[in-house]
């Protein structure tokens, strides 16, 4: 029997089958969580539907529950963080940041108001706009920030009065299963159900008749399937999908200081962030100095098992992603690009790739045009800013982007030209609980976080009272 159980109707639930979870630093299977059956998913959905009737009624209780969840996560941080490192690969100090960030997200969300707007209130009528919960939310998450991205869905869904059935990625199910275990003593049975399994389970959830909303984070390809599956019974969807963020460096930057920030904007979490910098556009006159600064930084970074002290970057999370990034580096070389540092496998075991800086590359090569989602960064020269902006926008993606300059207002004017959900100046990855986060174009539908994300878990009801 597995050490890990699903949470269905407030109780631990094993399954007939299990599947292996691989530690990407060792390539060893180290856990066997349950493989949810269709009948078990039906039970989870039924439980969430039953729990919705009472859960939607008491806003004050929901607010307090969110604070209690935050405290419970904080109390168990020392246990969750190493588990996150083992299933995901990230260094344990970063795993700890993700766990405490998850607690903070619950605490922040508890402070949000669910507005009632009064449009008219006089002798003839009172008209109010209320925000009602939707019902059961099916939440599906990827493997790069498994805990944090689960919380981005669970916290606002619960505050708005919905109940949840959540499925983590089969690569990183353990911390979400652990969260479910923690929640058994904090939330009423059925309010949060956690199920685990493969991609088929995600398909069953999106086609299931019970959920009224699907909140999905993952790739564009899967996001399109989710949207299609949700359409026949008009489920609401929020889709947080992939990105191919451009950073545009202007000609007046401090090269050394900018290179540091750009490097970490690209390589944090080994590049496995939807809104990491995935291509850098540099004026021709600064090209060689920017490339050599980035090269120097890349050489100093300690890559290794996230459980070892001092590790700054862990492995890629899984073999498929590892092969994809290696293939894209090889493809760039075939197209005449130069790997100035990195590129190689770092040890015989584990999905490690050294931080890789690629120069002499341009648009039209996969590493520039596609989402690499890994530690390989193409540096592309440009002649004029208009051209750089046009190339940054010449993509189906539109998650975020950044512009860098010693004149922030000049950079802001360029940033506003980017076709993306978040346009940053002299920074990247500036994500916070009180800011909406979402993508333009194929990078998504809707937003998460802040009051805007909360409202995505509600629908409007106009209450119109005629008095005379
Ligand atoms: P993925 O699309 O392969 O899988 C995401 C989740 O969907 C997993 O839980 C998976 O089991 C499930 N799934 C797979 N097929 C399904 C189907 N047919 N129906 C329903 N669910 C299904 O993505 P991934 O490889 O886990 O994650 C990496 C991708 O996620 C990258 O493209 C990255 O940019 C994106 N991402 C986006 C954000 C954001 O907020 N925009 C954040 C993190 C990651």
């Amino acid at each position: 029997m597995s050490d890990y159980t699903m949470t269905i109707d407030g109780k631990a639930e094993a399954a007939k089958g299990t599947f292996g979870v691989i530690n990407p630093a060792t390539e060893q299977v180290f856990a066997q969580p349950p493989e949810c059956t269709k009948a078990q998913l039906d039970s989870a959905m039924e439980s969430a539907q039953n729990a919705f009737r009472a859960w939607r009624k008491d806003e004050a209780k929901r607010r307090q529950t969110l604070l209690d969840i935050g405290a419970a996560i904080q109390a168990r941080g020392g246990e969750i963080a190493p588990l996150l490192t083992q299933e995901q690969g990230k260094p344990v100090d970063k795993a700890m940041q993700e766990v405490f960030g998850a607690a903070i997200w619950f605490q922040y969300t508890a402070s949000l108001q669910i507005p009632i707007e009064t449009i008219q209130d006089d002798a003839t009528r009172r008209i109010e706009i209320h925000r009602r919960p939707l019902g059961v939310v099916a939440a599906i998450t990827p493997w790069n920030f498994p805990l944090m991205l689960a919380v981005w869905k669970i916290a606002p869904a619960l505050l708005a009065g919905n109940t949840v059935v959540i499925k983590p990625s089969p690569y990183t199910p353990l911390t979400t299963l652990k969260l479910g275990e923690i929640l058994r003593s904090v939330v009423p049975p059925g309010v949060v159900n956690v199920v685990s399994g493969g991609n088929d389970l995600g398909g069953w959830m999106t086609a299931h008749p019970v959920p009224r909303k699907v909140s999905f984070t993952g790739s564009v390809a899967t996001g399109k399937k989710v949207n299609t599956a949700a359409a026949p019974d008009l489920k609401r969807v929020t889709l947080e999908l992939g990105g191919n963020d451009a950073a545009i460096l202007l000609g007046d930057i401090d090269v050394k200081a900018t290179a540091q920030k750009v490097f970490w904007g690209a390589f944090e979490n080994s590049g496995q962030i939807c809104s990491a910098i995935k291509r850098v556009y540099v004026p021709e006159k600064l090209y060689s100095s920017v490339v050599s600064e980035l090269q120097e930084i890349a050489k100093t970074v300690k890559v290794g098992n996230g459980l070892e002290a001092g590790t700054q970057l862990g492995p890629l999370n899984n073999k498929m992603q590892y092969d994809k990034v290696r293939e894209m580096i090889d493809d760039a070389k075939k197209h005449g690009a130069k790997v100035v540092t990195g590129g190689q496998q770092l040890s015989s075991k584990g999905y490690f790739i050294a931080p890789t800086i690629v120069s002499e590359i341009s648009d039209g090569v996969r590493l520039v045009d596609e989402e690499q989602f890994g530690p390989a960064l193409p540096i592309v020269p440009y002649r004029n800013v208009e051209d750089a902006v046009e190339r940054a926008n010449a993509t189906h993606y539109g998650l975020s982007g950044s512009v860098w300059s010693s004149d922030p207002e000049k950079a802001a004017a360029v940033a506003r030209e980017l076709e993306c959900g978040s346009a940053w100046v002299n920074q990247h990855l500036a994500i916070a609980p009180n800011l909406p986060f979402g993508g333009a174009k194929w990078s998504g539908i809707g937003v998460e976080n802040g009051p805007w994300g909360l409202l995505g878990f509600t629908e409007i009801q106009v209450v119109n009272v005629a008095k005379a």
Side-chain angles (χ1 to χ4, degrees):
M1 153 118 179
S2 167
D3 288 342
Y4 297 92
T5 46
M6 300 186 289
T7 298
I8 297 178
D9 203 29
K11 294 186 278 295
E13 178 100 11
K16 266 192 245 127
T18 61
F19 60 99
V21 178
I22 293 172
N23 179 336
T26 62
E27 295 181 46
Q28 299 297 312
V29 172
F30 74 104
Q32 293 282 348
E35 178 96 55
C36 185
T37 64
K38 263 191 169 159
Q40 287 175 312
L41 178 66
D42 286 342
S43 303
M45 291 293 180
E46 193 187 332
S47 166
Q49 196 165 37
N50 291 338
F52 176 60
R53 289 190 197 101
W55 182 249
R56 63 177 302 176
K57 292 205 167 120
D58 188 347
E59 187 182 329
K61 180 180 172 182
R62 298 199 299 269
R63 206 172 284 290
Q64 184 55 47
T65 304
L66 258 59
L67 294 173
D68 295 344
I69 297 172
I73 293 174
Q74 231 157 357
R76 303 279 288 271
E79 182 189 338
I80 307 170
L83 184 61
L84 178 53
T85 295
Q86 287 174 78
E87 68 173 354
Q88 204 285 326
K90 65 186 64 189
V92 75
D93 59 327
K94 298 289 178 184
M96 198 57 113
Q97 279 176 19
E98 184 170 338
V99 175
F100 284 109
I104 289 167
W105 237 267
F106 268 109
Q107 286 152 0
Y108 164 77
T109 306
S111 75
L112 291 175
Q113 298 305 314
I114 301 162
I116 300 173
E117 295 165 74
T118 303
I119 302 298
Q120 185 180 340
D121 190 6
D122 55 27
T124 60
R125 64 181 62 233
R126 188 179 75 253
I127 309 175
E128 294 167 343
I129 311 291
H130 288 247
R131 302 283 178 162
R132 290 160 55 88
L134 296 161
V136 176
V137 172
I140 301 174
T141 50
W143 45 259
N144 58 341
F145 285 85
L147 189 67
M148 184 58 107
L149 295 175
V151 169
W152 284 17
K153 302 181 185 315
I154 296 171
L158 294 193
L159 183 69
N162 306 281
T163 55
V164 174
V165 177
I166 186 162
K167 183 201 91 69
S169 163
Y171 293 114
T172 54
L174 305 178
T175 45
T176 311
L177 290 170
K178 181 63 74 183
L179 178 66
E181 189 189 309
I182 293 169
L183 294 191
R184 282 173 214 156
S185 58
V186 188
V187 301
V191 168
V192 179
N193 300 270
V194 182
V195 293
S196 52
N199 295 344
D200 286 351
L201 177 59
W204 300 341
M205 287 170 72
T206 51
H208 200 280
V210 165
R212 292 314 312 143
K213 166 152 183 146
V214 181
S215 180
F216 172 83
T217 303
S219 62
V220 168
T222 310
K224 288 181 178 179
K225 289 186 199 160
V226 167
N227 208 17
T228 305
D233 71 333
L234 301 177
K235 290 184 184 80
R236 278 51 177 160
V237 291
T238 297
L239 303 175
E240 294 286 1
L241 309 178
N244 190 14
D245 286 18
I248 300 177
L249 279 44
L250 303 188
D252 61 354
I253 51 161
D254 172 339
V255 169
K256 216 175 172 57
T258 304
Q260 267 295 336
K261 291 183 187 166
V262 166
F263 181 87
W264 287 108
F267 286 91
E268 195 59 74
N269 210 40
S270 297
Q272 302 163 113
I273 305 184
C274 51
S275 56
I277 295 172
K278 304 214 167 103
R279 49 201 171 121
V280 184
Y281 290 90
V282 182
E284 280 175 348
K285 66 170 183 170
L286 296 180
Y287 190 74
S288 59
S289 57
V290 168
V291 168
S292 65
E293 275 302 328
L294 290 170
Q295 175 185 13
E296 286 314 306
I297 302 165
K299 286 199 286 197
T300 65
V301 171
K302 183 170 185 296
V303 181
N305 187 323
L307 292 177
E308 283 164 19
T311 295
Q312 290 173 285
L313 294 178
L316 278 287
N317 172 256
N318 57 73
K319 175 88 166 61
M320 197 179 68
Q321 192 59 30
Y322 171 81
D323 287 343
K324 180 177 165 191
V325 175
R326 300 249 356 223
E327 253 171 56
M328 284 170 87
I329 295 170
D330 287 345
D331 176 74
K333 281 197 267 190
K334 272 189 216 128
H335 285 84
K338 184 173 164 198
V339 173
V340 292
T341 186
Q344 77 279 24
Q345 183 183 5
L346 279 176
S347 73
S348 57
K349 274 275 166 254
Y351 309 131
F352 295 101
I353 296 178
T356 303
I357 304 291
V358 180
S359 70
E360 284 154 59
I361 186 165
S362 196
D363 312 65
V365 178
R366 284 185 63 202
L367 188 62
V368 179
D369 292 356
E370 296 179 21
E371 182 185 43
Q372 67 274 49
F373 216 62
L377 185 64
I379 319 296
V380 182
Y382 74 82
R383 281 234 163 96
N384 63 64
V385 179
E386 294 70 30
D387 176 45
V389 169
E390 199 172 309
R391 286 151 79 184
N393 288 338
T395 168
H396 283 300
Y397 290 109
L399 196 51
S400 31
S402 56
V403 182
W404 302 72
S405 164
S406 56
D407 178 347
E409 291 312 320
K410 184 169 88 182
V414 180
R416 286 195 293 273
E417 299 299 316
L418 295 176
E419 295 165 358
C420 57
S422 298
W424 292 308
V425 169
N426 292 338
Q427 58 185 343
H428 210 93
L429 297 172
I431 294 167
N434 60 337
L435 300 178
F437 181 75
K441 301 194 263 185
W442 283 8
S443 287
I445 294 177
V447 296
E448 293 190 297
N449 302 330
W452 305 271
L454 175 65
L455 293 185
F457 288 100
T458 66
E459 60 196 355
I460 279 178
Q461 182 183 50
V462 181
V463 178
N464 193 335
V465 182
K467 293 184 184 170

